[in-house]
Amino acid sequence: MTDPLRSSLPASPRFRRLRRSAALRELVAEIRLDPARFVLPLFLVPGRGQRLPVASMPCVFQLSPDEAIREIEAALAEGICACLLFGVVPADQKDERGNAALDPENVVCETLRLLRGKNLPVVAITDLCFCEYTSHGHCGPLAGIGRDGFRTVDNDATVGLLARQAVNHARAGADVVAPSGMMDGMVSGIRAGLDAAGFTDTAILSYAVKYASAFYGPFRDAAGSAPSFGDRRSYQMDFRRRREAVAEAAADVAQGADIIMVKPGMPCLDLLRDLRERLDAPLAAYQVSGEYAMIKAASANGWLDGRAAMLESLVAFHRAGADFVLTYFAREAARALREGEP
Ligand code: PBG
C-alpha cells in the first residue's frame, strides 16, 4: 500500500544523497582550493634583517628586501607562485609628488633585482601607485580644489608618472604591474610607456573595479598611506554603483589590461560574478586588509573558527568567478590545505 499522503506530494529531490560521506562530497565539489591560485602581498621597508609586525594585521610583517626573499622562498615551497610587492618609505622620504616611487634604487626595485638574481620562479607583481610615497597620502600629485572642498589628484599627470613607475619595475624584473590608483586611462598610458621602453612582455593586472572602501583601513597602517586630508572618493568608485563596474573593467580590457581585479573581495562577490559572465579576461579578487583583520580578530576572540572561515572565504571568491585571489592568508591557507580540509 502506498502512503496516500506521500503519493500526493510532488516528488522532492533527495539532495542529501550526495552529502552522505566525505568521499561523495569530494566527488561533486566544484571548487578545490590550490595555493597556485593565491597571491602573497608583501610590504617592503628599507634595510636588512627587518621584520616589523603590523599591529592591525596579525602574522603580517613589513620586511626588508632580504627578509622578503626568504618569505618568497618559503611561499614557493608551499606551492604559492606569485607575490605582490608594496613599497613602504619613511616619512622623511615622502614629498608632494611621490618622487621616491620613481627611484630605481627603491625597495621594490631592490627586491625585484634580488629575486631575479636568485632566479626565483615566482610571478613578481608590483603595485603601481603613489599613496605610499606622497607626503599627503593621495594616489598621485594634486591638482586644484575639487568640488568636495579639498585638493584632488591630477588624473593625467598621475598616468604619466605611473607609466614611468611601471618601466622602472619592469626594468628591475617585474613580470606584472598592477596599477591601483583608479586614474582614468591609466592602463593605456602604462601600456604605451612599457611598449615604448621595450617591455612589451610585461603584463598589466588592473585594479579595474576598486571601490572607496572602509575595508582598506589596516593596509594604511601597514603601508603608511592614509590620506592626510579628505578621502579617495573622487577617484575610487562609489560602492553603491554596480553597473559601472562592468564599464570600468571593459574599458581596462579595451586599453590592454591582461588581467582585471575586483577589490575589496567579500563585499563585491556580485561584481566578480558580473565580470565573469560579461568578460573573458582572467579575473582576480583582492581579499583586502580589513577582511583579513576581521577574520583574525574574531578568531583571536574565539568568536569563530579562523581556519574554517579563511578557507570558506577563499572558496567564495572562486565560486563567484575569480581565477585567483590576492590574500594575506596565502601562506596560512596553503599550509591548511596541505594538512587537509576539515
Ligand atoms: C593603493 C592600494 C590600497 C590597497 C592596495 N593598493 C589602499 C587604498 O586604496 O587606500 C589596499 C589593500 C588592502 O587593504 O589590503 N596603493
Side-chain angles (χ1 to χ4, degrees):
M1 269 275 293
T2 51
D3 174 345
L5 181 64
R6 265 202 68 75
S7 56
S8 67
L9 287 172
S12 168
R14 291 277 177 173
F15 293 111
R16 289 180 52 183
R17 276 182 204 127
L18 298 182
R19 298 175 195 153
R20 278 175 70 218
S21 71
L24 270 166
R25 292 191 295 271
E26 279 304 308
L27 185 69
V28 297
E30 293 165 40
I31 288 154
R32 238 175 281 284
L33 292 175
D34 176 355
R37 293 177 182 275
F38 303 149
V39 177
L40 173 68
L42 295 174
F43 298 106
L44 305 171
V45 289
R48 278 187 66 80
Q50 298 291 314
R51 214 179 153 78
L52 313 170
V54 177
S56 49
M57 300 176 72
C59 313
V60 172
F61 299 85
Q62 296 177 327
L63 304 171
S64 52
D66 56 327
E67 289 289 328
I69 298 298
R70 288 166 44 151
E71 186 77 11
I72 291 166
E73 285 171 332
L76 285 168
E78 290 161 353
I80 292 162
C81 302
C83 61
L84 172 65
L85 305 180
F86 291 99
V88 185
V89 302
D92 64 359
Q93 287 179 28
K94 299 186 184 195
D95 57 34
E96 275 266 314
R97 289 178 67 80
N99 280 310
L102 303 176
D103 177 0
E105 305 303 321
N106 68 20
V107 274
V108 173
C109 295
E110 184 185 344
T111 305
L112 288 166
R113 282 192 294 266
L114 281 176
L115 273 179
R116 292 309 166 218
K118 286 189 147 244
N119 248 324
L120 294 183
V122 69
V123 178
I125 309 174
T126 59
D127 188 78
L128 290 190
C129 195
F130 290 89
C131 63
E132 301 99 315
Y133 304 93
T134 52
S135 44
H136 43 72
H138 281 283
C139 297
L142 300 176
I145 309 280
R147 287 281 188 253
D148 289 336
F150 52 82
R151 294 177 73 196
T152 186
V153 175
D154 182 335
N155 190 90
D156 297 2
T158 304
V159 170
L161 295 172
L162 286 168
R164 287 174 53 193
Q165 191 183 24
V167 169
N168 273 353
H169 291 181
R171 186 166 289 130
D175 299 295
V176 182
V177 292
S180 62
M182 292 305 286
M183 298 300 129
D184 288 320
M186 65 184 184
V187 174
S188 54
I190 292 164
R191 184 72 271 157
L194 286 169
D195 290 351
F199 296 106
T200 49
D201 288 338
T202 305
I204 300 175
L205 187 174
S206 179
Y207 286 65
V209 175
K210 175 172 176 179
Y211 285 100
S213 168
F215 290 98
Y216 309 150
F219 173 94
R220 295 176 186 174
D221 277 355
S225 64
S228 62
F229 62 85
D231 54 45
R232 304 206 201 287
R233 286 183 291 176
S234 70
Y235 42 104
Q236 298 180 350
M237 292 166 60
D238 184 331
F239 53 74
R240 295 169 296 184
R241 296 182 65 183
R242 176 177 179 180
R243 296 189 300 269
E244 189 189 35
V246 178
E248 275 274 6
D252 283 5
V253 170
Q255 289 174 45
D258 301 284
I259 306 173
I260 50 182
M261 189 215 282
V262 171
K263 177 181 170 201
M266 291 246 274
C268 298
L269 296 177
D270 55 332
L271 305 169
L272 285 168
R273 177 47 48 191
D274 285 347
L275 299 197
R276 168 46 65 244
E277 278 165 14
R278 304 276 290 274
L279 300 168
D280 290 327
L283 180 61
Y286 198 145
Q287 181 174 44
V288 299
S289 55
E291 303 175 62
Y292 174 83
M294 283 195 301
I295 294 177
K296 280 291 189 190
S299 166
N301 276 292
W303 294 338
L304 52 66
D305 174 343
R307 178 180 184 277
M310 165 184 77
L311 294 173
E312 183 176 337
S313 66
L314 293 169
V315 167
F317 295 124
H318 288 95
R319 199 182 60 233
D323 295 304
F324 64 91
V325 185
L326 300 97
T327 174
Y328 303 96
F329 282 121
R331 291 196 57 199
E332 194 177 334
R335 286 194 295 265
L337 292 171
R338 199 162 50 186
E339 289 154 17
E341 276 186 79

